[in-house]
Amino acid sequence: MIIGLVRHGKTDWNAEGKIQGQTDIPLNAEGLRQAEALSERLSREKRIWDAVVSSDLQRAQSTARIIAEKLAIPLLEGDPRLRERYFGEVEGTKELERHTRWGKDWRQVANGIEPDEAVRTRGLNAIKQWQSEHPNRKLLVVSHGSFLAQIISELCAELEDQHLNNLSYSILELRGEKWYPQLYNCTIHLDL
């Protein structure tokens, strides 16, 4: 099994430095261009993807739709298990506000932030279901930065933890019981 992991395109809240979490913010014009750039790249590369699935939040769904249409592959129904981490009372805040209200350890202090373990559990449940139902499917997954960071960390613990940029593209391949990175946090399509 091969899965591609894509972070959605940019939103106005990304541009402003606000945490989105599960607040349903649309792509902005730059985010739409980013999604087009990745879809163009993928259309020029050897075709490997059988389908695209995304979080059910509109910024991920819009990104996935652009890619699926360009590649002429199925877009599966949005999956709430692929949503971004719920950030509780922190959603909609900028870094200075977070530090002012809760201090530098805001992740441990602010109310309602979904724990790493819960994010990983729902993501891994989705992957296990895909493995069980379609073990040979090559699935492109469009989701969110914090969510994808948790999944990549769980599946490929040896990878250096990096900030995942908007429209970053990673590929993981399952061989036996172990996932191997084929590509990690790649954004060369945004430089063209």
Side-chain angles (χ1 to χ4, degrees):
M1 180 175 206
I2 296 177
I3 56 173
L5 302 172
V6 174
R7 182 179 175 201
H8 64 78
K10 190 172 261 189
T11 69
D12 286 342
W13 278 23
N14 289 139
E16 295 171 29
K18 291 181 179 180
I19 288 190
Q20 295 171 109
Q22 294 187 10
T23 304
D24 202 8
I25 305 299
L27 294 178
N28 62 18
E30 183 179 355
L32 292 168
R33 282 192 301 276
Q34 290 173 331
E36 290 288 346
L38 179 59
S39 70
E40 185 62 35
R41 171 190 175 174
L42 295 177
S43 74
R44 290 191 313 268
E45 294 180 351
K46 180 182 174 191
R47 180 178 168 159
I48 60 172
W49 303 114
D50 299 320
V52 181
V53 66
S54 76
S55 147
D56 61 344
L57 298 176
Q58 63 179 317
R59 58 191 184 270
Q61 285 191 312
S62 296
T63 303
R65 186 176 311 105
I66 289 168
I67 294 168
E69 287 174 1
K70 182 73 171 183
L71 299 182
I73 59 176
L75 175 61
L76 306 180
E77 185 175 338
D79 191 330
R81 295 175 297 182
L82 305 178
R83 282 184 174 192
E84 179 59 291
R85 174 194 308 269
Y86 181 63
F87 276 99
E89 66 182 343
V90 174
E91 292 188 13
T93 64
K94 295 181 181 182
E95 185 174 17
L96 180 59
E97 182 181 353
R98 290 190 295 276
H99 287 197
T100 300
R101 289 178 66 182
W102 301 288
K104 291 192 189 260
D105 293 328
W106 59 267
R107 289 178 187 265
Q108 287 75 41
V109 178
N111 290 321
I113 298 177
E114 185 179 10
D116 289 352
E117 187 58 38
V119 174
R120 289 179 185 207
T121 296
R122 63 183 166 86
L124 294 175
N125 284 343
I127 292 170
K128 287 176 185 168
Q129 181 183 346
W130 301 332
Q131 282 178 263
S132 170
E133 294 176 359
H134 303 281
N136 297 314
R137 180 183 271 172
K138 295 171 181 72
L139 191 59
L140 191 60
V141 179
V142 180
S143 189
H144 309 269
S146 182
F147 174 86
L148 290 172
Q150 289 298 312
I151 298 307
I152 291 170
S153 175
E154 182 70 21
L155 297 178
C156 297
E158 70 280 359
L159 278 176
E160 172 192 347
D161 185 26
Q162 296 179 6
H163 170 77
L164 298 175
N165 299 303
N166 287 106
L167 252 297
S168 65
Y169 176 44
S170 303
I171 301 173
L172 305 180
E173 181 179 5
L174 181 62
R175 292 186 227 137
E177 297 296 315
K178 185 166 172 44
W179 289 92
Y180 293 88
Q182 304 300 310
L183 187 67
Y184 180 46
N185 200 20
C186 182
T187 56
I188 60 169
H189 44 279
L190 300 179
D191 299 333
L192 304 176

